Amino acid sequence: QVQLVESGGGLVQAGDSLRLSCAASRLTFGIYAMGWFRQAPGKEREFVGGITWSGGTTFYADSVKGRFTCSRDNAKNTVYLQMNSLIPEDTAVYYCAAARWRLSQQKSDYDYWGQGTQVTVSS
């Protein structure tokens, strides 16, 4: 059974940084694009950013562009989300997800999801 396990969330102050990790198991990691989504209380789950299977292309939501960076290490079956200059509006549960072959902003294009990690940014 495929597993995606996020880690690295926590409580930080505005302006701080966090790095989330997502470790995949029982997945042919190198053929999956990886996306990061987030869901704040009472809101829809939204795309944050993602990276192609090769790591050659990344794409971000406008709300995080210039502050967040996706990267991956295919040898470790792990994808990362570096989050800098955090603001209270970034508070949410963050999920990683795997989409075979193609990077997408659409939740329905993802085959596997992690359980999420909470990020809370205080003002």
Side-chain angles (χ1 to χ4, degrees), residues 4-6 21-23 34-37 79 94-98 112-114:
L4 300 177
V5 180
E6 302 96 336
S21 300
C22 171
M34 298 299 295
W36 287 95
F37 291 76
V79 62
Y94 283 71
Y95 300 88
C96 69
Y112 302 104
W113 292 82

Side-chain angles (χ1 to χ4, degrees), residues 35-37 45-49 59 97-100 102-113:
W36 287 95
F37 291 76
R45 190 172 300 189
E46 64 176 0
F47 176 79
V48 173
F59 185 78
R100 186 154 184 178
R102 187 172 69 94
L103 179 59
S104 171
Q105 298 182 68
Q106 303 301 318
K107 295 186 294 292
S108 58
D109 288 334
Y110 286 80
D111 304 293
Y112 302 104
W113 292 82

Side-chain angles (χ1 to χ4, degrees), residues 6-38:
E6 302 96 336
S7 61
L11 171 62
V12 297
Q13 293 188 326
D16 286 350
S17 298
L18 276 177
R19 188 175 82 154
L20 305 184
S21 300
C22 171
S25 58
R26 293 182 282 278
L27 181 76
T28 308
F29 188 72
I31 65 170
Y32 281 83
M34 298 299 295
W36 287 95
F37 291 76
R38 67 186 181 187

Side-chain angles (χ1 to χ4, degrees), residues 23-112:
S25 58
R26 293 182 282 278
L27 181 76
T28 308
F29 188 72
I31 65 170
Y32 281 83
M34 298 299 295
W36 287 95
F37 291 76
R38 67 186 181 187
Q39 188 166 18
K43 294 190 175 181
E44 293 287 322
R45 190 172 300 189
E46 64 176 0
F47 176 79
V48 173
I51 188 166
T52 54
W53 63 271
S54 67
T57 300
T58 55
F59 185 78
Y60 303 96
D62 287 343
S63 58
V64 306
K65 202 172 294 182
R67 300 188 297 121
F68 290 12
T69 304
C70 294
S71 61
R72 66 190 294 161
D73 185 339
N74 285 353
K76 294 183 179 179
N77 285 6
T78 301
V79 62
Y80 305 97
L81 182 67
Q82 178 67 43
M83 306 187 294
N84 298 330
S85 302
L86 284 161
I87 59 178
E89 289 75 15
D90 294 321
T91 296
V93 177
Y94 283 71
Y95 300 88
C96 69
R100 186 154 184 178
W101 299 119
R102 187 172 69 94
L103 179 59
S104 171
Q105 298 182 68
Q106 303 301 318
K107 295 186 294 292
S108 58
D109 288 334
Y110 286 80
D111 304 293
Y112 302 104

